[in-house]
Amino acid sequence: KANTFSFRQDSTFLYYWGLDDPSLAAIIDIDTGNEIMFGDDPTVDEIVWTGPQTRIRDKAAKAGVGRTMPQTKLGVVVREAAQKGRKIHFLRQYRADNLLKVESLVQMPASQVNASASVDFHKAVVAQRSVKSKEEVEQIEIALDITREMQIAAMKMSRPGMYEREVAGAMNGIAIARGGDLAFPIIFSVHGETLHNHHHGNKMKRGDIVVNDSGAESSLHYAGDITRTFPVSGKFNQRQREIYQLVLQAQKKSIGMIAPGVKYLDVHLTSCRALAAGLKDLGLMKGDTEEAVREGAHAMFFQCGTGHMMGLDVHDMENLGEEFIGYDDQTKRNSQFGLCYLRMAKALQPGNVVTVEPGIYFIPELYKAWKSERKHEQYLNYPAIGKYMDFGGVRIEDDILVMERGFRVLGKKIPKTISDVEAMCS
């Protein structure tokens, strides 16, 4: 049974305890300042299969914890605290087995566990993990070094007649060979209009463009997340060049806004307005650009958010809830199509690491639905848009550190201008 799944430590546990081993639990007693690590030493039977393992007390000492107990004592300690009327703070759980464990620990139905999780605890974790230390930024850039190799390899090896899986497999191999792993399943597809397209079965052909949204994670599990779009045959055609340049200009404008105190919602809307203005110049949109964006007409082409927090998770802390990570009391989620998918909207602060990834996507099903409803027809030139239904999509993404003043684009440069992309693909 130990070979069923590879182990990936819960990121919040990893952040606070630094131990990348399974079957561990820990308690912080904020009243006494004490910490307890729970775990068991390996049996001889287990050592036969896994080799010698570090004893639990030595693991705990490595994390700066002086007190350990067997796993069976976790429930005892929690129940004793509850019986004394003490508040038990715990985080939401996203694995069914952990939901059942918490159910047993706090004596409530598993269906109620996440609804009863501590809001104060979530806010405290998000406040700490959102601000990246110097060491964390270094780990992200290690991940980005590997990610850069993956991206450049994809540009160099992609050719008409190859299958997407050949390139995706090569990128996966680079991540593993460099001592890391994938930060998320690779998105590498000539059908870039599907935002999270993990299918790699298409044969690439001349005239295709491919969206490569991929990233490695470092050996300490910090993520990189980069998207590049490039022509399979090495040269963009005129229509592809026009759309690509619009996305690139929108990304540059949005990155240029990054600074402490700036709401990421405004960064997103800057992308939306830039894309809408460019699409109007191409004859795909019409009318007043500000009104079109305010009404959500641009979401025909840009259906998702401009970016998200990044760190130990590629969508950092996503399991804790976006209402804590990307939103706050001053910034609430908008229900409008497109805006509702924005993961990050609140004001930026120094130490945040965010992605900036505008895109243009031509989705035939969305086009047909909106056209039949005559939706936003005062802003959308449906006959002209219909000619792009075989286009696919374009996305360009970089990872940005918010500084005390302004920003820094993380990682070494990866070809992004049309001339640099074409030169690398050739």
Side-chain angles (χ1 to χ4, degrees):
K1 65 180 181 180
N3 288 337
T4 307
F5 300 107
S6 59
F7 174 72
R8 170 55 159 88
Q9 182 63 277
D10 176 86
S11 293
T12 301
F13 189 92
L14 190 62
Y15 181 86
Y16 286 104
W17 306 99
L19 297 177
D20 196 10
D21 300 302
S23 301
L24 297 175
I27 286 176
I28 300 174
D29 188 330
I30 58 176
D31 293 325
T32 66
N34 293 325
E35 298 145 353
I36 308 172
M37 182 74 66
F38 298 85
D40 298 316
D41 290 326
T43 65
V44 173
D45 286 347
E46 290 169 334
I47 290 172
V48 168
W49 295 100
T50 62
Q53 300 293 307
T54 305
R55 294 175 64 85
I56 183 64
R57 68 184 181 192
D58 296 325
K59 290 178 182 179
K62 183 180 178 182
V65 178
R67 189 179 179 192
T68 64
M69 290 186 179
Q71 276 280 3
T72 54
K73 294 294 185 181
L74 175 61
V76 174
V77 172
V78 172
R79 283 190 289 274
E80 285 179 352
Q83 288 167 2
K84 294 177 181 177
R86 302 183 67 195
K87 174 71 174 176
I88 308 299
H89 295 268
F90 57 89
L91 299 174
R92 292 174 180 169
Q93 300 300 316
Y94 53 95
R95 287 175 55 103
D97 55 344
N98 285 337
L99 276 172
L100 295 175
K101 289 176 184 176
V102 176
E103 175 186 58
S104 174
L105 289 171
V106 299
Q107 299 295 296
M108 71 171 58
S111 60
Q112 298 177 18
V113 165
N114 283 344
S116 302
S118 169
V119 171
D120 290 340
F121 195 6
H122 281 78
K123 288 182 176 180
V125 171
V126 170
Q128 290 184 308
R129 286 185 59 188
S130 293
V131 178
K132 304 299 184 286
S133 68
K134 173 177 174 287
E135 292 80 6
E136 289 181 285
V137 174
E138 288 172 354
Q139 284 296 313
I140 292 171
E141 294 206 287
I142 288 171
L144 285 171
D145 282 344
I146 306 172
T147 303
R148 181 177 183 272
E149 286 190 34
M150 293 162 59
Q151 288 280 345
I152 288 176
M155 290 182 186
K156 287 182 175 181
M157 73 179 291
S158 295
R159 292 289 182 273
M162 292 182 69
Y163 282 92
E164 295 161 342
R165 60 177 175 257
E166 297 177 68
V167 182
M171 288 192 285
N172 194 348
I174 290 170
I176 294 170
R178 283 290 308 273
D181 207 335
L182 294 179
F184 56 95
I186 291 171
I187 299 166
F188 184 86
S189 180
V190 296
H191 287 292
E193 75 278 10
T194 302
L195 302 182
H196 282 177
N197 193 343
H198 300 301
H199 175 70
H200 301 139
N202 298 301
K203 181 183 283 189
M204 297 181 287
K205 61 183 186 298
R206 186 170 298 278
D208 284 340
I209 53 172
V210 62
V211 170
N212 181 10
D213 186 344
S214 56
E217 67 174 20
S218 73
S219 60
L220 296 185
H221 299 301
Y222 282 84
D225 186 9
I226 298 290
T227 305
R228 292 293 184 264
T229 304
F230 61 86
V232 171
S233 57
K235 293 289 183 182
F236 291 104
N237 61 37
Q238 183 59 34
R239 191 171 66 163
Q240 291 166 348
R241 293 173 72 91
E242 291 170 347
I243 298 297
Y244 186 95
Q245 194 61 32
L246 287 186
V247 176
L248 183 58
Q249 289 171 351
Q251 196 215 23
K252 288 180 177 178
K253 285 185 178 180
S254 295
I255 290 175
M257 287 185 64
I258 300 292
V262 173
K263 278 195 171 185
Y264 202 79
L265 173 61
D266 294 331
V267 176
H268 171 71
L269 292 174
T270 293
S271 280
C272 297
R273 286 189 286 265
L275 294 172
L279 289 163
K280 182 179 177 181
D281 290 341
L282 291 179
L284 300 182
M285 293 190 72
K286 57 187 179 180
D288 185 272
T289 297
E290 290 287 338
E291 289 182 7
V293 171
R294 190 160 51 247
E295 294 297 317
H298 67 284
M300 165 65 78
F301 311 95
F302 184 35
Q303 302 82 21
C304 56
T306 299
H308 51 80
M309 287 263 205
M310 201 184 73
L312 275 170
D313 308 301
V314 70
H315 295 159
D316 209 21
M317 300 172 283
E318 187 172 43
N319 60 300
L320 300 180
E322 287 177 5
E323 71 270 29
F324 300 119
I325 302 150
Y327 295 83
D328 55 23
D329 293 339
Q330 291 74 45
T331 311
K332 299 298 182 181
R333 190 183 293 274
N334 192 309
S335 62
Q336 184 187 79
F337 178 77
L339 271 178
C340 66
Y341 298 123
L342 182 61
R343 291 187 171 95
M344 177 67 185
K346 67 184 182 183
L348 297 167
Q349 60 176 317
N352 290 166
V353 174
V354 294
T355 67
V356 180
E357 48 181 309
I360 291 177
Y361 312 97
F362 295 94
I363 303 174
E365 292 77 8
L366 181 63
Y367 168 78
K368 292 174 186 175
W370 280 25
K371 183 183 179 185
S372 68
E373 298 170 14
R374 302 177 67 177
K375 189 170 184 176
H376 298 311
E377 63 179 2
Q378 69 271 42
Y379 305 118
L380 299 173
N381 185 348
Y382 280 105
I385 298 168
K387 297 176 182 178
Y388 282 75
M389 287 303 104
D390 62 344
F391 184 94
V394 172
R395 177 161 67 252
I396 305 171
E397 175 186 22
D398 288 294
D399 305 332
I400 315 297
L401 171 66
V402 183
M403 308 285 283
E404 291 290 341
R405 294 182 180 179
F407 65 91
R408 178 165 73 87
V409 180
L410 295 177
K412 299 171 185 174
K413 289 185 178 180
I414 302 170
K416 186 165 69 170
T417 66
I418 288 176
S419 59
D420 287 347
V421 169
E422 289 184 338
M424 186 60 68
C425 291
S426 299

